[in-house]
Structures are given as structure tokens and as C-alpha cells.
Amino acid sequence: MTLIDADTHDAEEIATLVNAAYRPRERGQGWTDEQGLVEGDRILPAAVVQALACDRFVLLRDSPGSPILACARVSMAEDTVHLSTLAVDPAEQGRGLGTILIKRVEDWARESGMRSLSLSVIEQRETLIAWYERRGFVATGEVEPFPYDNPAVGRPLREDLALVTLQKRL
């Protein structure tokens, strides 16, 4: 497995992967989707390009040039690495790729002198939160409102959505 930094040429493939993982066109394509919570595209290629101007997207591939198996947006603030848009190809879920990706980012963060990893998850995604907790993340108690006014994240289907922050000390 190869972990590499994305560039703008990867934007279309990243958007396709993220949308397949978060908002699949058909039910049952993976267990990490936001079915019943938010619909529409999770991210557009232009937003990936915009994100790459200030953050990194890391990609997990079987080998250089092979299809992206998993990806995550990585940003840094002070001594914390924030993960977002973490996605695994639904056809590849169950291989431990999400865990591998997090572990590789964790190793890099530790080597870079960072003290923690953080991420935000829709509060109602209890199964996904439990998955992160099994990997050492703990809820910080911080809860933010869902960005209802941001059409770039899709169309919310519920009025009670919120984002909880999870953190893992390195």
C-alpha cells in the first residue's frame, strides 16, 4: 500500500470516491454513508482543488497510479492534525483500509511533532463514531451546528443534525 499526497489532477477521482462513500446512488454499497441524513454530492472536484490550495489530501493506493482506495483531507492547527472527508471505496470496505490510512496519518503526525488527531462526525452517525472510538478517538464534548447554510455539503434531510468532535492523543 502506498500513501501519497494528492494534487489537482486527482480532484475528479477524489470527488467520485468521497461521493460514493458518503452519498452512494444505490443503497447497500457501504456502511459509512449518510443515507437518511444528507443527500446530494458530498464534494465537487472544484472544492477538492480549492482544499488543496491550503490543506493536503492523502491517498491510499495499492501502487502508484492504481485507483484510489481511500483518502482523507488533512489540515494542521497548532499541534493538532484535523482529518476530514475520510473515505474508503465502498467496494473495498472491510479490508481495514480506513484503519491503515488513519495509522499512516497518525505516524506522520507524530513524526511532525503533532500531539493529537481530531475529526468531526455527524452526531447521528453512531456506528461510525463507535468505529472511530475503537481506534482510540474519544469525544471531546464539543458539538457544532451542522452547516445548513452551506450547499457545498449537500442537502440536509433532518433539522436536528450536529457535528461532534473526536480526538486522539498521539
Side-chain angles (χ1 to χ4, degrees):
M1 297 267 156
T2 304
L3 184 71
I4 61 168
D5 283 325
D7 63 34
T8 56
H9 296 97
D10 298 307
E12 184 77 36
E13 189 177 3
I14 291 169
T16 299
L17 171 64
V18 169
N19 289 326
Y22 283 75
R23 317 270 169 75
R25 303 287 182 232
E26 297 176 28
R27 246 185 155 1
Q29 290 185 318
W31 67 271
T32 60
D33 68 61
E34 296 174 342
Q35 191 78 33
L37 301 173
V38 185
E39 67 181 11
D41 287 332
R42 171 62 179 81
I43 196 166
L44 297 172
V48 174
V49 170
Q50 184 178 7
L52 285 167
C54 56
D55 296 329
R56 300 170 58 196
F57 263 93
V58 291
L59 312 175
L60 191 62
R61 299 179 185 268
D62 275 328
S63 60
S66 66
I68 300 170
L69 301 171
C71 68
R73 181 176 177 175
V74 177
S75 57
M76 294 177 281
E78 298 179 22
D79 62 354
T80 300
V81 171
H82 186 76
L83 292 172
S84 60
T85 325
L86 194 143
V88 174
D89 180 339
E92 302 292 337
Q93 289 179 2
R95 290 181 50 193
L97 298 175
T99 300
I100 291 168
L101 179 62
I102 290 172
K103 178 74 172 111
R104 300 262 178 99
V105 170
E106 187 178 311
D107 291 344
W108 167 82
R110 194 176 288 110
E111 290 168 9
S112 299
M114 299 292 151
R115 295 182 181 228
S116 63
L117 294 179
S118 71
L119 51 86
S120 297
V121 181
I122 295 176
E123 183 176 38
Q124 290 78 2
R125 298 187 70 198
E126 295 170 2
T127 303
L128 184 58
I129 291 169
W131 185 87
Y132 283 118
E133 289 173 340
R134 290 191 301 275
R135 277 136 195 90
F137 287 85
V138 295
T140 65
E142 184 180 337
V143 180
E144 299 175 41
F146 186 84
Y148 283 95
D149 58 345
N150 183 356
V153 298
R155 188 173 71 78
L157 300 174
R158 295 173 49 164
E159 295 181 16
D160 63 341
L161 300 179
L163 300 172
V164 294
T165 300
L166 305 173
Q167 189 171 50
K168 181 176 184 177
R169 295 276 175 210
L170 299 178

